[in-house]
Amino acid sequence: MPHRSDFQQGSRASGGVACLTSCQIPSIPILLNTQLQAVALQIQLNSRITVCYLYLPPSVHIEQRHLDDLIQQLPSPFFLLGDFNGHNPLWGSSDTNPRGCQIETLIEDHGLCILNDNSYTHFHQASHTFHTIDLTICSPSLAPFWKFSTSTNLFNSDHFPVVLTHIKNDPTFPKRPVKYNFRKADWPLFESLCQLTPDMVDKNSIDIAVNTITDYIITSADISIPKTSGNIPKLSKPWWNTECDTCQKTLEKAWYNFRRYPTTHNLIKFKKARAKFRQIRRRSMNTTWCSYVNSITRQVSSKIVSDKVRKIFGCYSDTQNISFLNYNGQVISDVKEIANVIGQTLSEISGESSYPNDFIAFKKCEEQKSVDFLPSYAEDYNSTFSYHELKTAIIKSNPTSPGPDHIHNNMLKHLGESLLTILLLFNRIWQERVFPLSWLKAIVVPIPKPGKDKQDPNNYRPIALTSCLSKLLERMVSARLMHVLERSKWFVPSQSGFRRRRGTIDNLLKLETAIREAFVRKKHLVSIFFDIEKAYDRNWRHGILRFI
């Protein structure tokens, strides 16, 4: 399976039909005004690239002006791929035909580049000979960053698949973020290296203390926990096993011998190996499918279930990447511009544009008054945090994505009891009422809303990844507040959301009960549902704290 940045051109036995087999790269079709058998589309990697597939029949005369007109219609930079049926020593042929001279003229007139590396692209079954008739022509700006290669397997065709691979050392090529591989972590080494001392907490500034502890944890993690490469992995096949691997190697060996010595005996051996490989693959797919589906049980976690279901449908997380946006009639493809547009859209939602003018005036007047809480340390909920509260919060922490400081909850769980006491730095933050500046930063990940247009910046839900240390303190504070609110019975009895041992299903059951009672008593039941758009984003946070 080629890399995500690869294009694979696999022509059928009749020739001329090419297909794009990369991982669902977003594309835009291009209308061509030509008499040639050509189809073009624009794909989005880090920038827009035009890909045009062309088939030139061997027995049909092609006028040079038609090829020139096609080149003029292709937005630069572009790839021109397909079965040209032309022979020329320029791309590795042993002879030259009129079609080859015509293509050579096209390349010279338009200053194009050909990426072929003299590899054979076609196998003529009647004569058992190999030829180079599938060409890859591109704009000069693309030639230094793309590598041409051919697959050694025909895949039931007479054309070898052509693979174009993006050179990964190009700094503009997008990669996955590098993450810690906790499966290969050396936790004893991590605990021994992460020597947190009380002196780190007693710094003059809370910001300095937090940064010092963060640096020690990250430095220890870099030594004891390996990281991922950042490369996009190949798509896995659940049905592939060792028997398939063995048969494929046998098939490749038979094909290699036939390519070197195209005799009838080697051809028969190759066809037998191919038939056996098809049989083994088909049998493995049938048996593995049953076991794969049966592995989805109620005992496995919801994440594993969702991952297995996505693999069944061929959906992977990489297909959710944002490649381009349509904003005010303009197509935006640059990564930084996409981030700025989404950030600006989210900022406008939380801005004052949706407020009435009289409320804006009142809001500005009230926000000039500072919000100051005078805590009463006599209350038990304002006391210092204990080690038991910290340990309970860490146990309940899920392995969520880290924030800008890269500290993961798995690291906090392996600090050890003696080192966890140092994290009671939270007590200093709690008593001095000074929140660290580094915890105010977050990584915002836009998640597309299901069923919405992904090119519209308004159809994204922002997820903020904050520091796990900050979320740990938040979890301890939330546990105290929930205890006080439940004990004092300050919650409305009908509220079910965000409460312990309750859920929104309780309200649905109450509604169902009311409907059934109305049917039994032959009465009318009136229900009113409110769906407030952007309710959380448009909340006046200062007002909530000011008038609480």
mmCIF file with all atom_site columns, all heavy atoms in Angstrom, residues 246-269:
data_model
loop_
_atom_site.group_PDB
_atom_site.id
_atom_site.type_symbol
_atom_site.label_atom_id
_atom_site.label_alt_id
_atom_site.label_comp_id
_atom_site.label_asym_id
_atom_site.label_entity_id
_atom_site.label_seq_id
_atom_site.pdbx_PDB_ins_code
_atom_site.Cartn_x
_atom_site.Cartn_y
_atom_site.Cartn_z
_atom_site.occupancy
_atom_site.B_iso_or_equiv
_atom_site.pdbx_formal_charge
_atom_site.auth_seq_id
_atom_site.auth_comp_id
_atom_site.auth_asym_id
_atom_site.auth_atom_id
_atom_site.pdbx_PDB_model_num
ATOM 1   N N   . THR A 1 246 ? 3.478  -15.389 3.140   1.00 0.00 ? 246 THR A N   1
ATOM 2   C CA  . THR A 1 246 ? 4.300  -16.424 2.499   1.00 0.00 ? 246 THR A CA  1
ATOM 3   C C   . THR A 1 246 ? 3.918  -16.620 1.034   1.00 0.00 ? 246 THR A C   1
ATOM 4   O O   . THR A 1 246 ? 4.789  -16.713 0.156   1.00 0.00 ? 246 THR A O   1
ATOM 5   C CB  . THR A 1 246 ? 4.145  -17.750 3.255   1.00 0.00 ? 246 THR A CB  1
ATOM 6   O OG1 . THR A 1 246 ? 4.513  -17.556 4.631   1.00 0.00 ? 246 THR A OG1 1
ATOM 7   C CG2 . THR A 1 246 ? 5.031  -18.818 2.650   1.00 0.00 ? 246 THR A CG2 1
ATOM 8   N N   . CYS A 1 247 ? 2.617  -16.667 0.762   1.00 0.00 ? 247 CYS A N   1
ATOM 9   C CA  . CYS A 1 247 ? 2.164  -16.826 -0.625  1.00 0.00 ? 247 CYS A CA  1
ATOM 10  C C   . CYS A 1 247 ? 2.535  -15.625 -1.484  1.00 0.00 ? 247 CYS A C   1
ATOM 11  O O   . CYS A 1 247 ? 2.856  -15.773 -2.674  1.00 0.00 ? 247 CYS A O   1
ATOM 12  C CB  . CYS A 1 247 ? 0.652  -17.052 -0.658  1.00 0.00 ? 247 CYS A CB  1
ATOM 13  S SG  . CYS A 1 247 ? 0.130  -18.653 0.002   1.00 0.00 ? 247 CYS A SG  1
ATOM 14  N N   . GLN A 1 248 ? 2.491  -14.443 -0.894  1.00 0.00 ? 248 GLN A N   1
ATOM 15  C CA  . GLN A 1 248 ? 2.875  -13.262 -1.670  1.00 0.00 ? 248 GLN A CA  1
ATOM 16  C C   . GLN A 1 248 ? 4.361  -13.299 -2.019  1.00 0.00 ? 248 GLN A C   1
ATOM 17  O O   . GLN A 1 248 ? 4.749  -12.937 -3.138  1.00 0.00 ? 248 GLN A O   1
ATOM 18  C CB  . GLN A 1 248 ? 2.557  -11.991 -0.882  1.00 0.00 ? 248 GLN A CB  1
ATOM 19  C CG  . GLN A 1 248 ? 2.796  -10.724 -1.689  1.00 0.00 ? 248 GLN A CG  1
ATOM 20  C CD  . GLN A 1 248 ? 2.675  -9.473  -0.852  1.00 0.00 ? 248 GLN A CD  1
ATOM 21  O OE1 . GLN A 1 248 ? 3.032  -9.466  0.317   1.00 0.00 ? 248 GLN A OE1 1
ATOM 22  N NE2 . GLN A 1 248 ? 2.161  -8.413  -1.447  1.00 0.00 ? 248 GLN A NE2 1
ATOM 23  N N   . LYS A 1 249 ? 5.202  -13.726 -1.100  1.00 0.00 ? 249 LYS A N   1
ATOM 24  C CA  . LYS A 1 249 ? 6.631  -13.835 -1.399  1.00 0.00 ? 249 LYS A CA  1
ATOM 25  C C   . LYS A 1 249 ? 6.886  -14.866 -2.490  1.00 0.00 ? 249 LYS A C   1
ATOM 26  O O   . LYS A 1 249 ? 7.738  -14.662 -3.369  1.00 0.00 ? 249 LYS A O   1
ATOM 27  C CB  . LYS A 1 249 ? 7.390  -14.190 -0.133  1.00 0.00 ? 249 LYS A CB  1
ATOM 28  C CG  . LYS A 1 249 ? 7.419  -13.068 0.894   1.00 0.00 ? 249 LYS A CG  1
ATOM 29  C CD  . LYS A 1 249 ? 8.202  -13.481 2.143   1.00 0.00 ? 249 LYS A CD  1
ATOM 30  C CE  . LYS A 1 249 ? 8.222  -12.340 3.161   1.00 0.00 ? 249 LYS A CE  1
ATOM 31  N NZ  . LYS A 1 249 ? 8.952  -12.700 4.395   1.00 0.00 ? 249 LYS A NZ  1
ATOM 32  N N   . THR A 1 250 ? 6.148  -15.980 -2.439  1.00 0.00 ? 250 THR A N   1
ATOM 33  C CA  . THR A 1 250 ? 6.279  -16.985 -3.499  1.00 0.00 ? 250 THR A CA  1
ATOM 34  C C   . THR A 1 250 ? 5.855  -16.426 -4.847  1.00 0.00 ? 250 THR A C   1
ATOM 35  O O   . THR A 1 250 ? 6.493  -16.680 -5.877  1.00 0.00 ? 250 THR A O   1
ATOM 36  C CB  . THR A 1 250 ? 5.448  -18.226 -3.142  1.00 0.00 ? 250 THR A CB  1
ATOM 37  O OG1 . THR A 1 250 ? 5.848  -18.710 -1.861  1.00 0.00 ? 250 THR A OG1 1
ATOM 38  C CG2 . THR A 1 250 ? 5.640  -19.314 -4.178  1.00 0.00 ? 250 THR A CG2 1
ATOM 39  N N   . LEU A 1 251 ? 4.760  -15.649 -4.833  1.00 0.00 ? 251 LEU A N   1
ATOM 40  C CA  . LEU A 1 251 ? 4.286  -15.035 -6.072  1.00 0.00 ? 251 LEU A CA  1
ATOM 41  C C   . LEU A 1 251 ? 5.309  -14.025 -6.601  1.00 0.00 ? 251 LEU A C   1
ATOM 42  O O   . LEU A 1 251 ? 5.573  -13.983 -7.811  1.00 0.00 ? 251 LEU A O   1
ATOM 43  C CB  . LEU A 1 251 ? 2.946  -14.352 -5.815  1.00 0.00 ? 251 LEU A CB  1
ATOM 44  C CG  . LEU A 1 251 ? 2.349  -13.542 -6.972  1.00 0.00 ? 251 LEU A CG  1
ATOM 45  C CD1 . LEU A 1 251 ? 2.086  -14.437 -8.169  1.00 0.00 ? 251 LEU A CD1 1
ATOM 46  C CD2 . LEU A 1 251 ? 1.068  -12.854 -6.528  1.00 0.00 ? 251 LEU A CD2 1
ATOM 47  N N   . GLU A 1 252 ? 5.888  -13.231 -5.729  1.00 0.00 ? 252 GLU A N   1
ATOM 48  C CA  . GLU A 1 252 ? 6.879  -12.246 -6.175  1.00 0.00 ? 252 GLU A CA  1
ATOM 49  C C   . GLU A 1 252 ? 8.126  -12.929 -6.732  1.00 0.00 ? 252 GLU A C   1
ATOM 50  O O   . GLU A 1 252 ? 8.720  -12.455 -7.714  1.00 0.00 ? 252 GLU A O   1
ATOM 51  C CB  . GLU A 1 252 ? 7.249  -11.335 -5.001  1.00 0.00 ? 252 GLU A CB  1
ATOM 52  C CG  . GLU A 1 252 ? 6.118  -10.415 -4.571  1.00 0.00 ? 252 GLU A CG  1
ATOM 53  C CD  . GLU A 1 252 ? 6.495  -9.595  -3.349  1.00 0.00 ? 252 GLU A CD  1
ATOM 54  O OE1 . GLU A 1 252 ? 7.577  -9.864  -2.765  1.00 0.00 ? 252 GLU A OE1 1
ATOM 55  O OE2 . GLU A 1 252 ? 5.708  -8.700  -2.974  1.00 0.00 ? 252 GLU A OE2 1
ATOM 56  N N   . LYS A 1 253 ? 8.519  -14.043 -6.108  1.00 0.00 ? 253 LYS A N   1
ATOM 57  C CA  . LYS A 1 253 ? 9.677  -14.771 -6.617  1.00 0.00 ? 253 LYS A CA  1
ATOM 58  C C   . LYS A 1 253 ? 9.402  -15.355 -7.997  1.00 0.00 ? 253 LYS A C   1
ATOM 59  O O   . LYS A 1 253 ? 10.257 -15.295 -8.895  1.00 0.00 ? 253 LYS A O   1
ATOM 60  C CB  . LYS A 1 253 ? 10.054 -15.871 -5.634  1.00 0.00 ? 253 LYS A CB  1
ATOM 61  C CG  . LYS A 1 253 ? 11.305 -16.634 -6.018  1.00 0.00 ? 253 LYS A CG  1
ATOM 62  C CD  . LYS A 1 253 ? 11.659 -17.686 -4.986  1.00 0.00 ? 253 LYS A CD  1
ATOM 63  C CE  . LYS A 1 253 ? 12.914 -18.463 -5.396  1.00 0.00 ? 253 LYS A CE  1
ATOM 64  N NZ  . LYS A 1 253 ? 13.263 -19.505 -4.389  1.00 0.00 ? 253 LYS A NZ  1
ATOM 65  N N   . ALA A 1 254 ? 8.199  -15.932 -8.187  1.00 0.00 ? 254 ALA A N   1
ATOM 66  C CA  . ALA A 1 254 ? 7.844  -16.485 -9.501  1.00 0.00 ? 254 ALA A CA  1
ATOM 67  C C   . ALA A 1 254 ? 7.772  -15.396 -10.557 1.00 0.00 ? 254 ALA A C   1
ATOM 68  O O   . ALA A 1 254 ? 8.196  -15.593 -11.702 1.00 0.00 ? 254 ALA A O   1
ATOM 69  C CB  . ALA A 1 254 ? 6.512  -17.224 -9.401  1.00 0.00 ? 254 ALA A CB  1
ATOM 70  N N   . TRP A 1 255 ? 7.246  -14.232 -10.169 1.00 0.00 ? 255 TRP A N   1
ATOM 71  C CA  . TRP A 1 255 ? 7.178  -13.116 -11.122 1.00 0.00 ? 255 TRP A CA  1
ATOM 72  C C   . TRP A 1 255 ? 8.569  -12.589 -11.456 1.00 0.00 ? 255 TRP A C   1
ATOM 73  O O   . TRP A 1 255 ? 8.852  -12.227 -12.604 1.00 0.00 ? 255 TRP A O   1
ATOM 74  C CB  . TRP A 1 255 ? 6.306  -12.023 -10.537 1.00 0.00 ? 255 TRP A CB  1
ATOM 75  C CG  . TRP A 1 255 ? 6.342  -10.740 -11.314 1.00 0.00 ? 255 TRP A CG  1
ATOM 76  C CD1 . TRP A 1 255 ? 6.824  -9.537  -10.910 1.00 0.00 ? 255 TRP A CD1 1
ATOM 77  C CD2 . TRP A 1 255 ? 5.870  -10.534 -12.649 1.00 0.00 ? 255 TRP A CD2 1
ATOM 78  N NE1 . TRP A 1 255 ? 6.697  -8.606  -11.896 1.00 0.00 ? 255 TRP A NE1 1
ATOM 79  C CE2 . TRP A 1 255 ? 6.108  -9.192  -12.983 1.00 0.00 ? 255 TRP A CE2 1
ATOM 80  C CE3 . TRP A 1 255 ? 5.277  -11.367 -13.586 1.00 0.00 ? 255 TRP A CE3 1
ATOM 81  C CZ2 . TRP A 1 255 ? 5.777  -8.660  -14.204 1.00 0.00 ? 255 TRP A CZ2 1
ATOM 82  C CZ3 . TRP A 1 255 ? 4.946  -10.837 -14.831 1.00 0.00 ? 255 TRP A CZ3 1
ATOM 83  C CH2 . TRP A 1 255 ? 5.188  -9.494  -15.129 1.00 0.00 ? 255 TRP A CH2 1
ATOM 84  N N   . TYR A 1 256 ? 9.461  -12.560 -10.468 1.00 0.00 ? 256 TYR A N   1
ATOM 85  C CA  . TYR A 1 256 ? 10.832 -12.094 -10.710 1.00 0.00 ? 256 TYR A CA  1
ATOM 86  C C   . TYR A 1 256 ? 11.552 -13.026 -11.682 1.00 0.00 ? 256 TYR A C   1
ATOM 87  O O   . TYR A 1 256 ? 12.254 -12.556 -12.597 1.00 0.00 ? 256 TYR A O   1
ATOM 88  C CB  . TYR A 1 256 ? 11.576 -12.022 -9.376  1.00 0.00 ? 256 TYR A CB  1
ATOM 89  C CG  . TYR A 1 256 ? 13.038 -11.656 -9.514  1.00 0.00 ? 256 TYR A CG  1
ATOM 90  C CD1 . TYR A 1 256 ? 13.439 -10.354 -9.799  1.00 0.00 ? 256 TYR A CD1 1
ATOM 91  C CD2 . TYR A 1 256 ? 14.024 -12.636 -9.363  1.00 0.00 ? 256 TYR A CD2 1
ATOM 92  C CE1 . TYR A 1 256 ? 14.771 -10.023 -9.936  1.00 0.00 ? 256 TYR A CE1 1
ATOM 93  C CE2 . TYR A 1 256 ? 15.362 -12.313 -9.495  1.00 0.00 ? 256 TYR A CE2 1
ATOM 94  C CZ  . TYR A 1 256 ? 15.729 -11.013 -9.783  1.00 0.00 ? 256 TYR A CZ  1
ATOM 95  O OH  . TYR A 1 256 ? 17.058 -10.686 -9.906  1.00 0.00 ? 256 TYR A OH  1
ATOM 96  N N   . ASN A 1 257 ? 11.377 -14.335 -11.494 1.00 0.00 ? 257 ASN A N   1
ATOM 97  C CA  . ASN A 1 257 ? 12.012 -15.284 -12.410 1.00 0.00 ? 257 ASN A CA  1
ATOM 98  C C   . ASN A 1 257 ? 11.448 -15.159 -13.821 1.00 0.00 ? 257 ASN A C   1
ATOM 99  O O   . ASN A 1 257 ? 12.183 -15.265 -14.812 1.00 0.00 ? 257 ASN A O   1
ATOM 100 C CB  . ASN A 1 257 ? 11.820 -16.710 -11.896 1.00 0.00 ? 257 ASN A CB  1
ATOM 101 C CG  . ASN A 1 257 ? 12.564 -16.962 -10.592 1.00 0.00 ? 257 ASN A CG  1
ATOM 102 O OD1 . ASN A 1 257 ? 13.574 -16.311 -10.316 1.00 0.00 ? 257 ASN A OD1 1
ATOM 103 N ND2 . ASN A 1 257 ? 12.076 -17.899 -9.801  1.00 0.00 ? 257 ASN A ND2 1
ATOM 104 N N   . PHE A 1 258 ? 10.132 -14.913 -13.909 1.00 0.00 ? 258 PHE A N   1
ATOM 105 C CA  . PHE A 1 258 ? 9.530  -14.790 -15.239 1.00 0.00 ? 258 PHE A CA  1
ATOM 106 C C   . PHE A 1 258 ? 9.981  -13.511 -15.931 1.00 0.00 ? 258 PHE A C   1
ATOM 107 O O   . PHE A 1 258 ? 10.162 -13.497 -17.156 1.00 0.00 ? 258 PHE A O   1
ATOM 108 C CB  . PHE A 1 258 ? 8.011  -14.828 -15.111 1.00 0.00 ? 258 PHE A CB  1
ATOM 109 C CG  . PHE A 1 258 ? 7.294  -14.585 -16.409 1.00 0.00 ? 258 PHE A CG  1
ATOM 110 C CD1 . PHE A 1 258 ? 7.351  -15.500 -17.444 1.00 0.00 ? 258 PHE A CD1 1
ATOM 111 C CD2 . PHE A 1 258 ? 6.584  -13.408 -16.607 1.00 0.00 ? 258 PHE A CD2 1
ATOM 112 C CE1 . PHE A 1 258 ? 6.710  -15.272 -18.637 1.00 0.00 ? 258 PHE A CE1 1
ATOM 113 C CE2 . PHE A 1 258 ? 5.940  -13.175 -17.805 1.00 0.00 ? 258 PHE A CE2 1
ATOM 114 C CZ  . PHE A 1 258 ? 6.000  -14.101 -18.822 1.00 0.00 ? 258 PHE A CZ  1
ATOM 115 N N   . ARG A 1 259 ? 10.168 -12.435 -15.180 1.00 0.00 ? 259 ARG A N   1
ATOM 116 C CA  . ARG A 1 259 ? 10.631 -11.190 -15.789 1.00 0.00 ? 259 ARG A CA  1
ATOM 117 C C   . ARG A 1 259 ? 12.039 -11.342 -16.336 1.00 0.00 ? 259 ARG A C   1
ATOM 118 O O   . ARG A 1 259 ? 12.369 -10.797 -17.394 1.00 0.00 ? 259 ARG A O   1
ATOM 119 C CB  . ARG A 1 259 ? 10.582 -10.054 -14.773 1.00 0.00 ? 259 ARG A CB  1
ATOM 120 C CG  . ARG A 1 259 ? 9.180  -9.570  -14.436 1.00 0.00 ? 259 ARG A CG  1
ATOM 121 C CD  . ARG A 1 259 ? 9.228  -8.285  -13.638 1.00 0.00 ? 259 ARG A CD  1
ATOM 122 N NE  . ARG A 1 259 ? 9.841  -7.206  -14.410 1.00 0.00 ? 259 ARG A NE  1
ATOM 123 C CZ  . ARG A 1 259 ? 10.032 -5.967  -13.951 1.00 0.00 ? 259 ARG A CZ  1
ATOM 124 N NH1 . ARG A 1 259 ? 9.657  -5.670  -12.714 1.00 0.00 ? 259 ARG A NH1 1
ATOM 125 N NH2 . ARG A 1 259 ? 10.578 -5.049  -14.700 1.00 0.00 ? 259 ARG A NH2 1
ATOM 126 N N   . ARG A 1 260 ? 12.878 -12.074 -15.610 1.00 0.00 ? 260 ARG A N   1
ATOM 127 C CA  . ARG A 1 260 ? 14.254 -12.258 -16.077 1.00 0.00 ? 260 ARG A CA  1
ATOM 128 C C   . ARG A 1 260 ? 14.323 -13.262 -17.221 1.00 0.00 ? 260 ARG A C   1
ATOM 129 O O   . ARG A 1 260 ? 15.088 -13.077 -18.186 1.00 0.00 ? 260 ARG A O   1
ATOM 130 C CB  . ARG A 1 260 ? 15.132 -12.730 -14.926 1.00 0.00 ? 260 ARG A CB  1
ATOM 131 C CG  . ARG A 1 260 ? 15.329 -11.689 -13.832 1.00 0.00 ? 260 ARG A CG  1
ATOM 132 C CD  . ARG A 1 260 ? 16.363 -12.151 -12.828 1.00 0.00 ? 260 ARG A CD  1
ATOM 133 N NE  . ARG A 1 260 ? 17.660 -12.332 -13.471 1.00 0.00 ? 260 ARG A NE  1
ATOM 134 C CZ  . ARG A 1 260 ? 18.736 -12.841 -12.854 1.00 0.00 ? 260 ARG A CZ  1
ATOM 135 N NH1 . ARG A 1 260 ? 18.634 -13.264 -11.597 1.00 0.00 ? 260 ARG A NH1 1
ATOM 136 N NH2 . ARG A 1 260 ? 19.887 -12.960 -13.491 1.00 0.00 ? 260 ARG A NH2 1
ATOM 137 N N   . TYR A 1 261 ? 13.544 -14.341 -17.102 1.00 0.00 ? 261 TYR A N   1
ATOM 138 C CA  . TYR A 1 261 ? 13.546 -15.387 -18.128 1.00 0.00 ? 261 TYR A CA  1
ATOM 139 C C   . TYR A 1 261 ? 12.101 -15.660 -18.544 1.00 0.00 ? 261 TYR A C   1
ATOM 140 O O   . TYR A 1 261 ? 11.431 -16.534 -17.993 1.00 0.00 ? 261 TYR A O   1
ATOM 141 C CB  . TYR A 1 261 ? 14.191 -16.665 -17.589 1.00 0.00 ? 261 TYR A CB  1
ATOM 142 C CG  . TYR A 1 261 ? 15.549 -16.437 -16.969 1.00 0.00 ? 261 TYR A CG  1
ATOM 143 C CD1 . TYR A 1 261 ? 15.690 -16.442 -15.586 1.00 0.00 ? 261 TYR A CD1 1
ATOM 144 C CD2 . TYR A 1 261 ? 16.682 -16.224 -17.761 1.00 0.00 ? 261 TYR A CD2 1
ATOM 145 C CE1 . TYR A 1 261 ? 16.932 -16.227 -15.003 1.00 0.00 ? 261 TYR A CE1 1
ATOM 146 C CE2 . TYR A 1 261 ? 17.921 -16.005 -17.188 1.00 0.00 ? 261 TYR A CE2 1
ATOM 147 C CZ  . TYR A 1 261 ? 18.040 -16.013 -15.800 1.00 0.00 ? 261 TYR A CZ  1
ATOM 148 O OH  . TYR A 1 261 ? 19.261 -15.783 -15.227 1.00 0.00 ? 261 TYR A OH  1
ATOM 149 N N   . PRO A 1 262 ? 11.570 -14.894 -19.508 1.00 0.00 ? 262 PRO A N   1
ATOM 150 C CA  . PRO A 1 262 ? 10.147 -15.031 -19.914 1.00 0.00 ? 262 PRO A CA  1
ATOM 151 C C   . PRO A 1 262 ? 9.905  -16.277 -20.759 1.00 0.00 ? 262 PRO A C   1
ATOM 152 O O   . PRO A 1 262 ? 9.605  -16.199 -21.960 1.00 0.00 ? 262 PRO A O   1
ATOM 153 C CB  . PRO A 1 262 ? 9.881  -13.736 -20.691 1.00 0.00 ? 262 PRO A CB  1
ATOM 154 C CG  . PRO A 1 262 ? 11.219 -13.347 -21.227 1.00 0.00 ? 262 PRO A CG  1
ATOM 155 C CD  . PRO A 1 262 ? 12.233 -13.791 -20.227 1.00 0.00 ? 262 PRO A CD  1
ATOM 156 N N   . THR A 1 263 ? 10.064 -17.440 -20.128 1.00 0.00 ? 263 THR A N   1
ATOM 157 C CA  . THR A 1 263 ? 9.808  -18.701 -20.810 1.00 0.00 ? 263 THR A CA  1
ATOM 158 C C   . THR A 1 263 ? 8.408  -19.200 -20.465 1.00 0.00 ? 263 THR A C   1
ATOM 159 O O   . THR A 1 263 ? 7.767  -18.727 -19.516 1.00 0.00 ? 263 THR A O   1
ATOM 160 C CB  . THR A 1 263 ? 10.847 -19.754 -20.414 1.00 0.00 ? 263 THR A CB  1
ATOM 161 O OG1 . THR A 1 263 ? 10.736 -20.000 -19.001 1.00 0.00 ? 263 THR A OG1 1
ATOM 162 C CG2 . THR A 1 263 ? 12.251 -19.271 -20.738 1.00 0.00 ? 263 THR A CG2 1
ATOM 163 N N   . THR A 1 264 ? 7.946  -20.209 -21.217 1.00 0.00 ? 264 THR A N   1
ATOM 164 C CA  . THR A 1 264 ? 6.614  -20.774 -20.962 1.00 0.00 ? 264 THR A CA  1
ATOM 165 C C   . THR A 1 264 ? 6.568  -21.476 -19.607 1.00 0.00 ? 264 THR A C   1
ATOM 166 O O   . THR A 1 264 ? 5.561  -21.407 -18.890 1.00 0.00 ? 264 THR A O   1
ATOM 167 C CB  . THR A 1 264 ? 6.249  -21.763 -22.078 1.00 0.00 ? 264 THR A CB  1
ATOM 168 O OG1 . THR A 1 264 ? 6.341  -21.109 -23.345 1.00 0.00 ? 264 THR A OG1 1
ATOM 169 C CG2 . THR A 1 264 ? 4.838  -22.303 -21.888 1.00 0.00 ? 264 THR A CG2 1
ATOM 170 N N   . HIS A 1 265 ? 7.664  -22.148 -19.244 1.00 0.00 ? 265 HIS A N   1
ATOM 171 C CA  . HIS A 1 265 ? 7.713  -22.841 -17.954 1.00 0.00 ? 265 HIS A CA  1
ATOM 172 C C   . HIS A 1 265 ? 7.581  -21.842 -16.803 1.00 0.00 ? 265 HIS A C   1
ATOM 173 O O   . HIS A 1 265 ? 6.805  -22.075 -15.849 1.00 0.00 ? 265 HIS A O   1
ATOM 174 C CB  . HIS A 1 265 ? 9.019  -23.629 -17.847 1.00 0.00 ? 265 HIS A CB  1
ATOM 175 C CG  . HIS A 1 265 ? 9.208  -24.287 -16.505 1.00 0.00 ? 265 HIS A CG  1
ATOM 176 N ND1 . HIS A 1 265 ? 8.452  -25.373 -16.097 1.00 0.00 ? 265 HIS A ND1 1
ATOM 177 C CD2 . HIS A 1 265 ? 10.075 -23.998 -15.484 1.00 0.00 ? 265 HIS A CD2 1
ATOM 178 C CE1 . HIS A 1 265 ? 8.832  -25.726 -14.873 1.00 0.00 ? 265 HIS A CE1 1
ATOM 179 N NE2 . HIS A 1 265 ? 9.822  -24.919 -14.493 1.00 0.00 ? 265 HIS A NE2 1
ATOM 180 N N   . ASN A 1 266 ? 8.316  -20.735 -16.864 1.00 0.00 ? 266 ASN A N   1
ATOM 181 C CA  . ASN A 1 266 ? 8.231  -19.721 -15.798 1.00 0.00 ? 266 ASN A CA  1
ATOM 182 C C   . ASN A 1 266 ? 6.870  -19.036 -15.786 1.00 0.00 ? 266 ASN A C   1
ATOM 183 O O   . ASN A 1 266 ? 6.376  -18.636 -14.723 1.00 0.00 ? 266 ASN A O   1
ATOM 184 C CB  . ASN A 1 266 ? 9.344  -18.691 -15.963 1.00 0.00 ? 266 ASN A CB  1
ATOM 185 C CG  . ASN A 1 266 ? 10.707 -19.265 -15.646 1.00 0.00 ? 266 ASN A CG  1
ATOM 186 O OD1 . ASN A 1 266 ? 10.813 -20.264 -14.917 1.00 0.00 ? 266 ASN A OD1 1
ATOM 187 N ND2 . ASN A 1 266 ? 11.755 -18.657 -16.182 1.00 0.00 ? 266 ASN A ND2 1
ATOM 188 N N   . LEU A 1 267 ? 6.257  -18.883 -16.948 1.00 0.00 ? 267 LEU A N   1
ATOM 189 C CA  . LEU A 1 267 ? 4.922  -18.283 -17.011 1.00 0.00 ? 267 LEU A CA  1
ATOM 190 C C   . LEU A 1 267 ? 3.893  -19.177 -16.323 1.00 0.00 ? 267 LEU A C   1
ATOM 191 O O   . LEU A 1 267 ? 3.015  -18.694 -15.588 1.00 0.00 ? 267 LEU A O   1
ATOM 192 C CB  . LEU A 1 267 ? 4.528  -18.029 -18.464 1.00 0.00 ? 267 LEU A CB  1
ATOM 193 C CG  . LEU A 1 267 ? 3.126  -17.449 -18.701 1.00 0.00 ? 267 LEU A CG  1
ATOM 194 C CD1 . LEU A 1 267 ? 2.993  -16.091 -18.021 1.00 0.00 ? 267 LEU A CD1 1
ATOM 195 C CD2 . LEU A 1 267 ? 2.834  -17.344 -20.187 1.00 0.00 ? 267 LEU A CD2 1
ATOM 196 N N   . ILE A 1 268 ? 3.996  -20.490 -16.528 1.00 0.00 ? 268 ILE A N   1
ATOM 197 C CA  . ILE A 1 268 ? 3.064  -21.425 -15.881 1.00 0.00 ? 268 ILE A CA  1
ATOM 198 C C   . ILE A 1 268 ? 3.255  -21.392 -14.364 1.00 0.00 ? 268 ILE A C   1
ATOM 199 O O   . ILE A 1 268 ? 2.278  -21.396 -13.593 1.00 0.00 ? 268 ILE A O   1
ATOM 200 C CB  . ILE A 1 268 ? 3.252  -22.842 -16.443 1.00 0.00 ? 268 ILE A CB  1
ATOM 201 C CG1 . ILE A 1 268 ? 2.853  -22.883 -17.932 1.00 0.00 ? 268 ILE A CG1 1
ATOM 202 C CG2 . ILE A 1 268 ? 2.442  -23.860 -15.649 1.00 0.00 ? 268 ILE A CG2 1
ATOM 203 C CD1 . ILE A 1 268 ? 3.122  -24.211 -18.608 1.00 0.00 ? 268 ILE A CD1 1
ATOM 204 N N   . LYS A 1 269 ? 4.508  -21.364 -13.913 1.00 0.00 ? 269 LYS A N   1
ATOM 205 C CA  . LYS A 1 269 ? 4.765  -21.297 -12.472 1.00 0.00 ? 269 LYS A CA  1
ATOM 206 C C   . LYS A 1 269 ? 4.216  -20.003 -11.870 1.00 0.00 ? 269 LYS A C   1
ATOM 207 O O   . LYS A 1 269 ? 3.659  -19.996 -10.762 1.00 0.00 ? 269 LYS A O   1
ATOM 208 C CB  . LYS A 1 269 ? 6.266  -21.398 -12.203 1.00 0.00 ? 269 LYS A CB  1
ATOM 209 C CG  . LYS A 1 269 ? 6.849  -22.767 -12.495 1.00 0.00 ? 269 LYS A CG  1
ATOM 210 C CD  . LYS A 1 269 ? 8.340  -22.804 -12.178 1.00 0.00 ? 269 LYS A CD  1
ATOM 211 C CE  . LYS A 1 269 ? 8.582  -22.550 -10.712 1.00 0.00 ? 269 LYS A CE  1
ATOM 212 N NZ  . LYS A 1 269 ? 10.020 -22.668 -10.381 1.00 0.00 ? 269 LYS A NZ  1
#
